[in-house]
Amino acid sequence: SDKCIQLYQEVNPKIIISHDCPSFIFNYQSHTSRLLTHLFELNQPDLWIFGHHHMSMRRNIKGTDFKCLNELEVFEF
């Protein structure tokens, strides 16, 4: 995870597409969700798309537009 954190800080992405999401989105903890929370604390991207939870949801937190995709859902921007 150290290399992931280092690369994230170097790249400073504006868009993230991940399987899971930061832990605060659905208030649960896993190794991945904690890492994603840490990354979010380092830098807030403009858009974060994920789909692990198989539901359609959109929420803006600290300027980041979080979009959870339902199964087979399409998102265009």
Side-chain angles (χ1 to χ4, degrees), residues 46-59:
D46 296 334
L47 176 63
W48 194 314
I49 301 169
F50 61 99
H52 175 71
H53 302 275
H54 301 278
M55 64 182 292
S56 186
M57 182 274 300
R58 194 165 191 171
R59 185 178 305 163

Side-chain angles (χ1 to χ4, degrees), residues 2-76:
D2 290 340
K3 285 190 176 201
C4 175
I5 293 167
Q6 180 182 355
L7 181 60
Y8 184 84
Q9 289 178 301
E10 289 172 8
V11 173
N12 194 22
K14 297 300 176 198
I15 298 173
I16 295 177
I17 300 172
S18 59
H19 178 76
D20 206 349
C21 62
S23 58
F24 56 83
I25 299 294
F26 289 105
N27 196 25
Y28 82 104
Q29 298 287 318
S30 70
H31 177 72
T32 301
S33 69
R34 285 191 300 272
L35 173 61
L36 296 174
T37 296
H38 181 68
L39 296 179
F40 179 77
E41 290 169 350
L42 295 172
N43 170 55
Q44 295 77 49
D46 296 334
L47 176 63
W48 194 314
I49 301 169
F50 61 99
H52 175 71
H53 302 275
H54 301 278
M55 64 182 292
S56 186
M57 182 274 300
R58 194 165 191 171
R59 185 178 305 163
N60 191 289
I61 299 173
K62 294 185 179 180
T64 298
D65 190 15
F66 286 93
K67 175 62 179 159
C68 182
L69 298 176
N70 200 348
E71 190 172 353
L72 303 177
E73 182 178 356
V74 175
F75 178 74
E76 295 183 33

